[in-house]
Amino acid sequence: MSSADRAFASAPQGVRLHLGDLEIEGLSLGGLETTIAVPKWDLCFDVGRCPPFAVKRSTILVTHAHMDHAGGLAYHAAMRDLLGLQPPRYVVPRENFEAFNDLFDVWRRLDRSRLPCEIIPLSPGESVSIGRERRVDAFRSPHRVPCQGYALVSQRSRLLPEFVGLPHGRIQALVLAGTVVTEAFDQIEVVFCGDTVIDVVDREVAVRTARVLILEVTFLDGKVGVEAARSKGHVHLDEVVERADLFENEHLVFTHFSQRYSTQDVHAIIARRLPPRLRERAHVLCP
Ligand SMILES: [Zn+2]
Ligand SMILES: [Zn+2]
């Protein structure tokens, strides 16, 4: 067992959800911390306090610079260095690129260490390649500070419709004869919006069509109303229910609940308030 494995073996885990062939592991509580790992892609969305399961992930996609989403970045770099893991890659909103570089420079001075990492600026509308046939697209999530969501996109190929159902031998013969039988297409596997108002659902087709949508729903009932939720830059459950017909996703993961709600409250309110066509696809990521 490596030192990294030993360090992780006894560490507290996040909440794990199995969504078809995809697993996610996360911790997310409004104002406290948000870190959501997608192990299959070796990445995390945000790193609020850097739980141990995040240290294993080599790429962090930072949605915005609120402390509960980005406070664990330098710690993440330090832990990976300590454990001898490959230097991490941090994708950050372009408007925060310089400030994040400054932050790392200050930590290097204080810690007298190299903190090896690569910081990549990305703007809404831009993409970054993340391994073979995989890329990350950024889009704007309206929040109180500059924020962007991310779509994990697999670049795949499929048979053109006119060849679907043909015997394998026939397709092979067509390929040998030089016929193009496949087309490339993008599969949006996962979308995470970060902190946002509901408008992101109306504006971004990737949000509505990703196989897995991870959406913050900070407020769930009359404890904080819809207008107050909007003014804080967050989503209210009422706004999700109003848009039930818009979501084409296979799985919807709701998260980032206000600390006003216990875990039991969250499950009970979501189960009671979601219409059946959403409830049957809904999951709760709540520590
Ligand atoms: Zn937040
Ligand atoms: Zn925020």
Side-chain angles (χ1 to χ4, degrees):
M1 194 184 251
S2 71
S3 61
D5 288 337
R6 270 197 302 279
F8 296 133
S10 58
Q13 307 291 312
V15 176
R16 288 185 189 190
L17 296 178
H18 296 273
L19 312 163
D21 59 355
L22 192 90
E23 185 193 38
I24 62 172
E25 180 172 14
L27 291 172
S28 178
L29 206 53
L32 202 68
E33 72 171 315
T34 290
T35 304
I36 300 171
V38 184
K40 191 175 169 184
W41 284 63
D42 188 26
L43 59 74
C44 271
F45 299 112
D46 290 334
V47 65
R49 286 201 291 199
C50 197
F53 68 81
V55 176
K56 287 188 265 189
R57 304 300 155 214
S58 67
T59 298
I60 309 283
L61 307 176
V62 178
T63 61
H64 66 300
H66 275 152
M67 189 65 84
D68 55 318
H69 291 256
L73 265 186
Y75 188 86
H76 181 266
M79 286 304 104
R80 285 187 67 87
D81 193 30
L82 184 72
L83 294 169
L85 300 171
Q86 158 205 350
R89 173 163 56 172
Y90 301 133
V91 177
V92 304
R94 192 174 289 281
E95 52 267 85
N96 293 331
F97 177 62
E98 205 182 320
F100 275 121
N101 276 295
D102 291 347
L103 177 86
F104 272 91
D105 284 343
V106 168
W107 267 116
R108 287 178 185 117
R109 274 170 53 208
L110 291 168
D111 198 46
R112 289 165 165 75
S113 62
R114 288 176 48 243
L115 289 180
C117 64
E118 182 188 6
I119 303 178
I120 301 168
L122 201 69
S123 295
E126 293 181 341
S127 303
V128 62
S129 170
I130 198 126
R132 209 168 143 263
E133 293 167 353
R134 286 177 171 180
R135 66 164 205 272
V136 173
D137 296 347
F139 57 87
R140 176 63 69 205
S141 289
H143 186 44
R144 284 178 291 126
V145 297
C147 183
Q148 61 198 30
Y150 296 100
L152 310 188
V153 182
S154 290
Q155 296 154 293
R156 298 198 176 169
S157 71
R158 63 186 165 204
L159 272 182
L160 285 163
E162 57 266 41
F163 302 119
V164 172
L166 285 185
H168 186 64
R170 176 86 183 101
I171 288 173
Q172 262 187 333
L174 285 165
V175 171
L176 285 174
T179 309
V180 175
V181 298
T182 58
E183 62 180 350
F185 75 104
D186 287 345
Q187 173 81 60
I188 305 172
E189 304 281 0
V190 185
V191 159
F192 177 59
C193 301
D195 285 358
T196 185
V197 292
I198 194 71
D199 308 43
V200 75
V201 175
D202 304 324
R203 288 182 195 167
E204 301 292 339
V205 67
V207 171
R208 302 189 299 271
T209 59
R211 289 180 61 205
V212 174
L213 169 62
I214 307 170
L215 182 66
E216 74 117 294
V217 184
T218 306
F219 302 108
L220 300 172
D221 61 13
K223 280 183 187 157
V224 174
V226 170
E227 276 317 306
R230 279 192 74 80
S231 71
K232 293 172 193 288
H234 293 298
V235 174
H236 192 288
L237 186 61
D238 286 8
E239 299 172 301
V240 173
V241 172
E242 276 168 19
R243 288 165 179 76
D245 292 334
L246 291 184
F247 297 97
E248 297 173 31
N249 321 87
E250 286 174 35
H251 300 277
L252 289 138
V253 178
F254 298 122
T255 194
H256 194 272
F257 304 106
S258 162
Q259 295 164 60
R260 291 167 179 80
Y261 309 102
S262 69
T263 301
Q264 284 146 306
D265 288 344
V266 168
H267 283 275
I269 296 170
I270 296 254
R272 188 174 72 241
R273 301 224 31 234
L274 283 185
R277 63 188 180 282
L278 282 188
R279 198 188 311 138
E280 63 201 14
R281 292 176 280 153
H283 309 261
V284 167
L285 181 61
C286 179

